[in-house]
């Protein structure tokens, strides 16, 4: 991601040959579909502000801002935005994305292997574009557990059962 000299136009050159897990090409059209989705939601508009997004080529996307913004790339990288397959966006028909119906909508190194009410298991995506470049991931799988009680989350973190936990502000010192 590179800004213009005045930091009002940010250019993203897209890696060739990348596909979403559902087989859809990751190209400028896919980024435009996601930008429309982000800007249609209040949270996306708050994060990105006013901007125009265009794609002069299939491998190039431009984010055009009304004023210089040296931190735009950091906001664009927010996990709150995320980029998903245009097929998932079309299936949602303007509503919220339902990943339980379309779990193969990402481009990343992990794929959803198992899902329950309190657990997700992500496993290495062997067809990930970075695998043949030896980019990783460095682990075979990641388990995400939902533990509703804040005290239980803290106990799991303290005893080493989990490595990451969402804590209450009052628990941060512990």
């Amino acid at each position: 991601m590179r800004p213009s000299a005045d930091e009002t136009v940010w250019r993203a050159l897209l890696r060739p040959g990348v596909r979403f897990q559902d087989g859809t090409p990751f190209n400028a059209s896919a980024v435009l579909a996601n930008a429309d989705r982000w800007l249609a939601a209040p949270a996306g508009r708050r994060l990105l502000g006013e901007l125009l997004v265009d794609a002069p080529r299939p491998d190039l996307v431009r984010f055009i801002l009304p004023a210089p913004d040296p931190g735009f790339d950091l906001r664009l990288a927010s996990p709150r935005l995320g980029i998903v397959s245009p097929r998932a966006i079309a299936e949602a028909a303007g509503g919220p994305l339902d990943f339980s119906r379309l779990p193969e909508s990402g481009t990343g190194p992990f794929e959803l292997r198992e899902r329950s009410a309190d657990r997700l298991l992500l496993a290495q995506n062997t067809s990930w574009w970075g695998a043949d470049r030896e980019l990783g991931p460095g682990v075979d799988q990641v388990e995400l557990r939902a533990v509703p009680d804040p005290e239980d989350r803290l106990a799991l973190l303290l005893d080493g059962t989990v490595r990451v936990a969402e804590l209450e502000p009052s628990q941060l010192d512990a």
Side-chain angles (χ1 to χ4, degrees), residues 78-135:
S78 169
R80 288 187 167 90
L81 297 176
I83 193 156
V84 299
S85 169
R87 187 177 299 166
I89 296 170
E91 286 283 328
L97 297 173
D98 182 359
F99 295 109
S100 65
R101 291 182 5 152
L102 296 162
E104 298 179 340
S105 58
T107 63
F110 292 100
E111 60 188 10
L112 181 62
R113 193 60 59 82
E114 295 176 22
R115 180 186 193 130
S116 66
D118 63 349
R119 180 177 171 268
L120 292 176
L121 182 65
L122 304 176
Q124 192 175 49
N125 174 6
T126 57
S127 63
W128 178 54
W129 62 266
D132 62 345
R133 294 172 174 86
E134 298 181 10
L135 295 176

Side-chain angles (χ1 to χ4, degrees), residues 21-153:
Q21 292 167 349
D22 66 7
T24 305
F26 173 72
N27 56 24
S29 295
V31 176
L32 291 176
N34 278 273
D36 288 344
R37 177 177 64 89
W38 302 330
L39 295 172
R45 286 192 303 275
R46 277 192 304 275
L47 190 59
L48 296 174
E50 293 295 319
L51 72 134
L52 174 69
V53 185
D54 75 356
R57 302 188 323 235
D59 67 340
L60 178 66
V61 179
R62 294 185 306 182
F63 298 88
I64 304 165
L65 311 175
D69 186 349
F72 178 75
D73 57 338
L74 297 176
R75 284 197 314 288
L76 188 63
S78 169
R80 288 187 167 90
L81 297 176
I83 193 156
V84 299
S85 169
R87 187 177 299 166
I89 296 170
E91 286 283 328
L97 297 173
D98 182 359
F99 295 109
S100 65
R101 291 182 5 152
L102 296 162
E104 298 179 340
S105 58
T107 63
F110 292 100
E111 60 188 10
L112 181 62
R113 193 60 59 82
E114 295 176 22
R115 180 186 193 130
S116 66
D118 63 349
R119 180 177 171 268
L120 292 176
L121 182 65
L122 304 176
Q124 192 175 49
N125 174 6
T126 57
S127 63
W128 178 54
W129 62 266
D132 62 345
R133 294 172 174 86
E134 298 181 10
L135 295 176
V139 297
D140 292 332
Q141 60 186 25
V142 175
E143 180 182 11
L144 303 170
R145 294 174 45 195
V147 178
D149 183 68
E151 295 302 320
D152 291 344
R153 289 195 299 270

